[in-house]
Amino acid sequence: MSHDVPAGQNATGKRIMAHPVLGALPARASLAIAVDGATLYAREGETVAAALLANGIRVFRTMPTYGEARGGFCFVGRCSDCQMVIDGVPGRLACMTIVGDGMRISTQEALGSWDTDGGAE
Amino acid sequence: MKTVQIAVIGGGASGLAAAIAAADAGAQVLLVEEHPTLGGRLRYHLGPFEGTHGPVSGPARAAELIAEAKAAGVEMLAGTACWGRFADNVLGLQDGTRSWQLKADRIVVAAGSTDRALPFPGWSLPGVMSARALLLLLHVHRVLPGKRFAIVGNGAGIDELAHAISMAGGEVVARTATVDGVAAEGARGVTQVTIAGTGHAVDCVAIAGGAQPDAGLTLMAEAAHGHSDLLGGFAPLRNEDMLTTADGVYVAGEAGGICPVPVAEAEGRVAGNAAARSLGLGSAAELDRAKAGLMAVAAERVAHVAALPIAHRQLASTAWAAEGDLR
């Protein structure tokens, strides 16, 4: 099929480009996001959780006591397993947060820490 | 404090139908939806569902209802969660940047349901997720989070889930109805699931344990609740108007008990019409039509029960009789 996807959106091949019922993946703008310092591409309007899984990242945080890895579980804002540090604010739910251009996303270690001065700027 | 005649909590099939019915009856209606997009489960269940002009997919049905609600003059706030209900039907709302209160003459709780989690060793590993999470990823976000999948559980819709995985290009390599003898393993994400002593290499496990009503708001409203296996757990008692025992608090859709989409829509139309009628709006004839519409699809709930796993069904037969008593 001749459906074009903006650069980087399907870097890992995990995007469902064609679907027998839903059809071709609708075109959306690409947004650059910084995940633990690396630049990745998301689709405008999607959640942080979806963008990370599309990029092959499934560990979103580690637990405070024993450090086990956690990813998203419910993806509907109930379970709190997907807490990440987003734009310097810890404890934000990756499944309920819509990606923004230039958004800074970090794996949350334990309870995470605040970094509201933006670090880089 | 801002006031509204009818506040609808939830923008899925039942909430949209309730809002449309209430607005068509002449009420001022505000609908809030905690997710960034409206449509509820219609966003990720492909259907087909009965649409305005014949059978359509879930997302297409959502689009129809959203357009209808807009045309009816419903104010809709997506990305806005209702976090509390206080005395005199004052609601607490927040949209991630601010929090405020709203006083509603009537409330329709259409908050939907939450998937039940079935715990087993390794169930918290990345790559293990609820069935609903997987459907959302596949159909809303268009992301295939693995290549080789296992399905654990016997909730309604497991065949739909398996079909969804294969349509998206994944492979279901293992299925089991029970969590007994199931263990997921992996260092920083699931790489294997063991079922009854046999290991299967997988990179995603979906837990399909059925769903339970989101009763948070009706509980805060101190409405009477009962436990029903048919309805999926604790659910508010309600009369034929979908009115709970809390003053001015109606409930429609899965917040009142697990049900298929056509029942959710029909309940929404009853709740929206009844709420409007209680404010002296709309017509008795329209409310009667909505109730007849609900009766017409009631058989679908019975069929839904018939499709439930055996263990649930045995319990459901008594719960069905109990629900009849509540009405």
Side-chain angles (χ1 to χ4, degrees), chain A residues 14-17 19-25 47 50 53-54 58-59 62 69-76 78 96 98, chain B residues 34-36 46 114 117 124 126-130 133 136-139 141-144 167-168 188-190 203 207 214:
Chain A
K14 291 180 186 296
R15 296 282 182 194
I16 301 164
M17 303 305 297
H19 190 282
V21 175
L22 298 170
L25 184 70
T47 63
L53 286 173
R58 58 178 184 171
V59 176
T62 59
R70 289 284 173 90
F73 179 80
C74 78
F75 289 82
V76 290
R78 290 287 182 276
M96 296 293 282
I98 301 293
Chain B
E34 73 173 317
H35 288 270
L46 299 182
T114 300
S124 62
V128 182
M129 62 187 68
S130 75
L136 266 164
L137 284 170
L138 298 177
H139 297 158
H141 301 301
R142 300 285 292 264
V143 174
L144 185 63
M167 275 197 297
R188 301 214 2 125
V190 62
D203 47 10
I207 299 180
D214 269 353

Side-chain angles (χ1 to χ4, degrees), chain B residues 172-310:
Chain B
V172 179
V173 298
R175 285 171 72 158
T176 174
T178 169
V179 293
D180 295 336
V182 175
E185 290 140 52
R188 301 214 2 125
V190 62
T191 53
Q192 173 169 298
V193 64
T194 301
I195 297 170
T198 304
H200 305 270
V202 296
D203 47 10
C204 188
V205 177
I207 299 180
Q212 59 193 31
D214 269 353
L217 285 171
T218 45
L219 284 167
M220 283 189 87
E222 300 184 79
H225 286 65
H227 187 274
S228 157
D229 286 286
L230 165 67
L231 298 176
F234 275 97
L237 276 60
R238 50 195 172 151
N239 68 10
E240 70 278 7
D241 282 348
M242 303 290 126
L243 178 64
T244 68
T245 60
D247 198 22
V249 178
Y250 296 75
V251 64
E254 293 214 296
I258 301 311
C259 62
V261 165
V263 173
E265 277 193 35
E267 287 188 359
R269 279 188 282 273
V270 172
N273 270 299
R277 270 309 283 157
S278 73
L279 294 171
L281 301 167
S283 71
E286 199 55 49
L287 176 55
D288 285 345
R289 246 195 302 281
K291 286 180 182 175
L294 177 56
M295 289 310 292
V297 293
E300 299 203 25
R301 173 169 262 161
V302 177
H304 191 67
V305 173
L308 287 174
I310 304 269

Side-chain angles (χ1 to χ4, degrees), chain B residues 56-107:
Chain B
V56 290
S57 72
R61 181 60 186 147
E64 285 181 357
L65 288 170
I66 292 164
E68 228 182 294
K70 268 187 194 140
V74 176
E75 184 185 353
M76 291 183 279
L77 298 178
T80 300
C82 177
W83 51 266
R85 181 270 181 195
F86 304 95
D88 301 323
N89 284 340
V90 171
L91 297 171
L93 305 175
Q94 65 91 8
D95 66 2
T97 56
R98 67 195 185 98
S99 188
W100 69 99
Q101 289 184 314
L102 172 79
K103 166 130 178 58
D105 294 331
R106 301 288 184 269
I107 297 171

